[in-house]
Amino acid sequence: MARIPPLAVAAMLAVFGLGAADRTLLPVAAAAGIDDGHALDGQASYYAPQFSGRPMANGQRFDPASNTAAHRTLPFGTRVRLTNTANGRTAEVVIADRGPFSHRRIFDLSPRTADELGMRRAGVARVVAQPLGRQYEEVAEAR
């Protein structure tokens, strides 16, 4: 019989609300393929101006002044704190799109977020990303 890693067990328990209250980030971290308490580390870029107004993977239109970001696996609505390792500046984003499609990058950011991180001129920056949890949109109940 195969042994299930403790992180996988904890993630499954947390998904069903059976984990400890202080481990609410575990399903988000597990979805990102990272261990509990560890951050993602890699290159981030930002969307070019021609993407303004185009639909994102979550169905909303891209707004360059928003705090949206793209990631390959994090669930839509996941809030992430990004830190530019070169200057220590931070920004919080919400995952709303899929990408980036360059294998060297882990996030595509809005131009606003690139400004907040001080990376707009360079175009790319090394970032450390810490998933913070989920941001849920209210959905009107059908009557």
Side-chain angles (χ1 to χ4, degrees):
M1 185 169 192
R3 184 171 187 269
I4 300 173
L7 179 62
V9 171
M12 287 185 275
L13 290 173
V15 166
F16 294 104
L18 302 173
D22 64 324
R23 298 180 69 101
T24 57
L25 299 182
L26 194 54
V28 174
I34 58 175
D35 291 333
D36 185 26
H38 292 85
L40 296 164
D41 183 349
Q43 294 287 319
S45 56
Y46 68 94
Y47 288 90
Q50 67 261 26
F51 291 103
S52 179
R54 288 191 184 176
M56 296 183 290
N58 71 352
Q60 297 175 348
R61 298 227 176 251
F62 175 66
D63 177 6
S66 69
N67 68 335
T68 58
H71 187 269
R72 289 183 198 94
T73 59
L74 284 172
F76 293 144
T78 302
R79 292 179 309 111
V80 179
R81 180 180 299 118
L82 300 172
T83 303
N84 184 336
T85 60
N87 60 21
R89 292 171 70 175
T90 64
E92 190 174 306
V93 298
V94 177
I95 304 301
D97 202 5
R98 292 291 170 230
F101 299 107
S102 168
H103 70 281
R104 293 187 176 127
R105 299 190 183 130
I106 62 171
F107 286 98
D108 270 336
L109 311 172
S110 68
R112 171 187 161 195
T113 303
D115 286 337
E116 289 176 15
L117 292 174
M119 61 169 272
R120 185 118 179 230
R121 187 172 211 184
V124 295
R126 183 171 170 239
V127 296
V128 173
Q130 182 64 51
L132 300 174
R134 299 285 300 273
Q135 172 181 305
Y136 295 97
E137 295 180 8
E138 290 187 28
V139 178
E141 290 185 33
R143 292 184 186 223

